[in-house]
Amino acid sequence: MQSEQQPVTILGIESSCDDTSAAVVRDTVLLSNVIASQRVHELYGGVVPELASRAHQQNVVPVVSEAIRQAGIQRSDITAIAFTRGPGLPGSLHVGTSFAKGLALALDVPLVDVNHLHGHVLAHFIKETPDTVVPAFPYLCLLISGGNTQIIRVNNPADMQVLGQTIDDAAGEAFDKCAKVMGLPYPGGPVIDKLASEGNAKAFKFAKPHVGGYDYSFSGLKTSFLYTLRDQLRVNPNFVEQNRADLAASLQHTIIEVLMDKFTRAIRDTGIRTIAISGGVSANSGVRQAVADYAQRHRLTAFIPPRRFTTDNAAMIAIAGHFKYLDHQLCDITAAPFQRVTV
């Protein structure tokens, strides 16, 4: 184990879905973060698992090499290798896991397995400069992505409590599925965000779920959106084309209202004064503004991540691995990836 005086340099590898990424973090300061995206899935309106795993196999070596080069380090400087063990697509995870194991054996350094969701939650601790401000514990994090919507109480990097989560679809899935029904390209979330800035958020009303506690549900909203389009298209075949911006704005407004209703309730009930958002949907302009406005009104400290750290990236895996390494939570070389898990 590294002595306290020596710098801890973590190489992170992320391959949970369709982005191959590698990053180097030294004592929580980011030295490099390289991402290779896969454009092929746009042709199919969603990620094709077999194509994703093949692309990871092609990308992982050059991406890792480039991350090390950009960081200005030697392979011998690496203290440990952190990798995404899950959740994610099995084939994609196997590529990253196998490569991390092989490199760790070759360099004779320890392995650290990272829960992908922990990476998103801890992305706020990535320091681009040594004086970057990071959250104080405890803080409440709203994790919003394509596969997960959760409210998490973060007591420390090793202690996270899920207060509420989606009981069916995630917010990101609602964005993408509704965008697909409208004939918009994949991924639909960013397209909805752009269109929403041009539309009337009060033009259409969609059903909002009534779920107890801090849990979420978005399946009913998706159904309501689909039925609205179906009914209107019967009257006007050009309805979607003529109302695309208003539909996007109304959809986004409704999703944000659902997200903020439970999140603000959790903030009030816990009395925690530091809040954060994370995950791919935290890149959404409306979500970011809603959280920032609420924090300002109630004099809370809010952490809204740079957009480059909202989507899947290895910097968040490296920072989560940094904390696990310091806590002596290492991974056995025989560990297998897992497809599903909660925080």
Side-chain angles (χ1 to χ4, degrees):
M1 185 66 63
Q2 198 97 343
S3 71
E4 296 297 329
Q5 289 74 31
Q6 292 178 297
V8 174
T9 304
I10 305 293
L11 170 66
I13 297 173
E14 153 63 16
S15 68
S16 64
C17 191
D18 61 334
D19 287 335
T20 312
S21 182
V24 177
V25 166
R26 173 168 285 172
D27 292 339
T28 73
V29 177
L30 183 65
L31 301 185
S32 66
N33 189 32
V34 178
I35 303 173
S37 298
Q38 303 174 8
R39 301 292 300 274
V40 64
H41 305 287
E42 296 175 8
L43 300 173
Y44 301 94
V47 177
V48 181
E50 177 62 25
L51 295 179
S53 58
R54 288 181 184 178
H56 283 304
Q57 289 176 324
Q58 295 173 342
N59 292 336
V60 66
V61 172
V63 164
V64 169
S65 297
E66 181 62 13
I68 292 172
R69 187 195 69 79
Q70 288 187 17
I73 66 168
Q74 303 297 317
R75 285 174 172 78
S76 57
D77 296 324
I78 296 171
T79 306
I81 297 173
F83 69 98
T84 302
R85 188 176 170 192
L89 299 176
S92 296
L93 290 168
H94 273 290
V95 174
T97 299
S98 299
F99 184 86
K101 289 179 178 180
L103 188 57
L105 286 172
L107 299 180
D108 192 24
V109 296
L111 271 175
V112 181
D113 60 323
V114 173
N115 179 330
H116 181 81
L117 304 183
H118 284 189
H120 277 302
V121 173
L122 296 174
H124 298 281
F125 292 88
I126 301 167
K127 292 185 176 182
E128 297 191 87
T129 62
D131 57 353
T132 299
V133 178
V134 298
F137 298 109
Y139 66 93
L140 278 187
C141 183
L142 176 61
L143 170 59
I144 335 164
S145 67
N148 298 276
T149 303
Q150 298 178 327
I151 300 173
I152 303 162
R153 178 185 173 121
V154 186
N155 297 312
N156 60 60
D159 182 7
M160 301 185 193
Q161 178 187 4
V162 177
L163 303 183
Q165 59 189 332
T166 181
I167 62 173
D168 43 52
D169 301 327
E173 185 178 0
F175 272 117
D176 286 341
K177 292 284 181 65
C178 291
K180 188 173 183 178
V181 171
M182 290 172 64
L184 301 177
Y186 174 87
V191 184
I192 292 286
D193 191 8
K194 184 176 184 301
L195 282 171
S197 65
E198 306 164 3
N200 176 9
K202 302 295 181 67
F204 300 98
K205 294 287 186 183
F206 303 116
K208 286 190 275 189
H210 299 283
V211 182
Y214 306 125
D215 287 337
Y216 288 104
S217 170
F218 290 97
S219 64
L221 170 58
K222 286 196 321 183
T223 302
S224 175
F225 186 85
L226 176 63
Y227 284 177
T228 297
L229 263 60
R230 181 198 64 183
D231 294 344
Q232 293 293 335
L233 285 169
R234 287 174 178 168
V235 179
N236 176 12
N238 298 316
F239 170 75
V240 173
E241 184 178 343
Q242 294 171 358
N243 295 275
R244 198 163 271 147
D246 287 348
L247 285 166
S250 300
L251 172 67
Q252 179 166 295
H253 176 74
T254 305
I255 291 176
I256 291 171
E257 279 194 331
V258 173
L259 289 171
M260 292 302 295
D261 175 63
K262 296 299 181 79
F263 191 38
T264 55
R265 191 182 307 175
I267 294 167
R268 292 193 302 268
D269 291 350
T270 61
I272 292 175
R273 307 291 297 172
T274 300
I275 63 174
I277 56 175
S278 64
V281 181
S282 67
N284 179 275
S285 302
V287 171
R288 296 166 77 88
Q289 193 63 54
V291 172
D293 289 347
Y294 182 85
Q296 185 176 36
R297 287 197 307 272
H298 296 272
R299 299 182 180 179
L300 305 175
T301 301
F303 286 85
I304 298 173
R307 281 187 169 87
R308 58 188 170 278
F309 297 143
T310 59
T311 53
D312 295 346
N313 66 91
M316 69 183 195
I317 303 304
I319 199 68
H322 170 88
F323 289 119
K324 288 193 73 173
Y325 175 81
L326 293 184
D327 203 29
H328 309 292
Q329 297 184 44
L330 304 182
C331 175
D332 188 83
I333 198 71
T334 62
F338 52 81
Q339 187 175 356
R340 294 185 180 86
V341 74
T342 60
V343 168

